[in-house]
Amino acid sequence: MQIYLAELLGTMMLVLLGDGVVANVLLERSKGQNGGWIVITTGWGIAVTVAVYAVGRISGAHLNPAVTIALAAIGSFPWTQVPGYIAAQMLGAILGGGLVWLTYLPHWRETRDAGAKLGVFCTAPAIRTSGANLIAEIVGTAVLLFGILAIAANAQSLARPGDVDLSVVFSRGLQPLCVGVLVLGIGLSLGGPTGYAINPARDLGPRLAHAILPIAGKGPSDWEYSWIPVVGPIVGGLIGAGLYSIVGF
C-alpha cells in the first residue's frame, strides 16, 4: 500500500501547489492577484518538481494517469498496478483541490467571477473548439511523455570521462527538477489553447472537488468540456511514449 499512498500524497501536493498558484493569481484580494501566466506556469513547474522529489523514490511519482497508462502500454509498468495508481491519483487530486479551497477560504466570497473560481480547480479552453482543444491536449501530453522518458534515459547512462558515474546524482538529485522544467516549458509554449491539463487526475479530481465543495458563489463545473482533459492526455501519453519506444534512443 505504500506505493499507492505515495501516489495519493504526491498528487495531492501537486494539485495543492499547482491549483494554489492559480488561486493566488485569480482570486480577489489575494497577494498575488493578476500575477499573470508566467507566475502560473512557474508555480506549476515547481509543484511538479516538489511532488516528484517527495515521492519519486517510493512510487516513481507518476502523479498522472496518462503517465501510468503510457508506461504500462510500453511495458515499463505492470498493468496490475494501474487501477490502484489511478485511484490514488484521483483521490489525491480531489484532496488537493479541497486544501486549496480551505487555504483561500475568505477569498471565494470576495471573488464575483464564477469562471475564475472554476479556473482555480480545472482547465478551460481559450477558444472552445472541441477538435482543436483535444489536439492541444494530445500534443502537450505527447511532449510530456517523450520528455520524461528522455530524461529518465539520461539518468540511467550519464557518465563523464574518467568513469565517474553520475547516474545516481542525476536520477535522484536532478531528474525531478528536469521534469519540472519540462512542465514549465510545456506551459509556456503549448499551454495557451487549453491551460495544459496534460493530466486527467489534475483536471478531473479538482473539478469534482469544485462540484462537491460549498464554494461561495460558484457556478457549474463545466462537465461538457471535462472529457477533453481526460481523453486528450491519455491519447497524447500513448503517442509520446510509443514514439519514444519506437525511436529507441
Side-chain angles (χ1 to χ4, degrees), residues 8-64:
L8 186 154
L9 294 176
T11 310
M12 183 182 73
M13 180 70 72
L14 170 71
V15 171
L16 174 59
L17 295 180
D19 281 358
V21 72
V22 182
N24 194 19
V25 169
L26 295 185
L27 296 182
E28 294 289 336
R29 299 183 64 182
S30 170
K31 296 287 188 179
Q33 187 178 3
N34 299 320
W37 188 246
I38 301 298
V39 172
I40 289 174
T41 53
T42 302
W44 269 106
I46 293 171
V48 170
T49 301
V50 172
V52 175
Y53 272 125
V55 302
R57 65 184 178 85
I58 301 169
S59 68
H62 294 188
L63 315 178
N64 181 343

Side-chain angles (χ1 to χ4, degrees), residues 124-139 193-194 222-233 235:
I127 300 174
R128 191 173 291 257
T129 306
S130 295
N133 301 152
L134 185 65
I135 289 171
E137 286 293 331
I138 289 172
V139 171
T194 62
D222 194 12
W223 294 109
E224 182 180 357
Y225 177 76
S226 64
W227 68 273
I228 289 176
V230 172
V231 174
V235 173

Side-chain angles (χ1 to χ4, degrees), residues 147-170:
I148 286 174
L149 291 171
I151 291 168
N154 284 330
Q156 299 303 318
S157 61
L158 187 65
R160 69 182 186 186
D163 297 323
V164 178
D165 187 359
L166 300 178
S167 60
V168 174
V169 174
F170 185 87

Side-chain angles (χ1 to χ4, degrees), residues 62-123:
H62 294 188
L63 315 178
N64 181 343
V67 172
T68 301
I69 292 170
L71 292 181
I74 64 172
S76 296
F77 187 74
W79 280 106
T80 55
Q81 293 182 7
V82 169
Y85 263 57
I86 293 176
Q89 292 156 2
M90 283 297 302
L91 182 56
I94 294 170
L95 292 174
L99 287 173
V100 172
W101 167 73
L102 190 62
T103 302
Y104 283 88
L105 196 58
H107 297 269
W108 305 106
R109 194 171 300 279
E110 296 289 332
T111 304
R112 296 182 180 181
D113 186 352
K117 295 175 186 179
L118 177 61
V120 170
F121 292 90
C122 54
T123 61

Side-chain angles (χ1 to χ4, degrees), residues 177-233:
L177 181 60
C178 292
V179 174
V181 171
L182 171 63
V183 172
L184 171 62
I186 292 171
L188 291 174
S189 301
L190 306 174
T194 62
Y196 75 117
I198 60 174
N199 181 340
R202 167 267 175 276
D203 192 275
L204 183 57
R207 195 184 296 269
L208 286 167
H210 176 271
I212 295 168
L213 290 169
I215 301 167
K218 72 175 180 180
S221 301
D222 194 12
W223 294 109
E224 182 180 357
Y225 177 76
S226 64
W227 68 273
I228 289 176
V230 172
V231 174

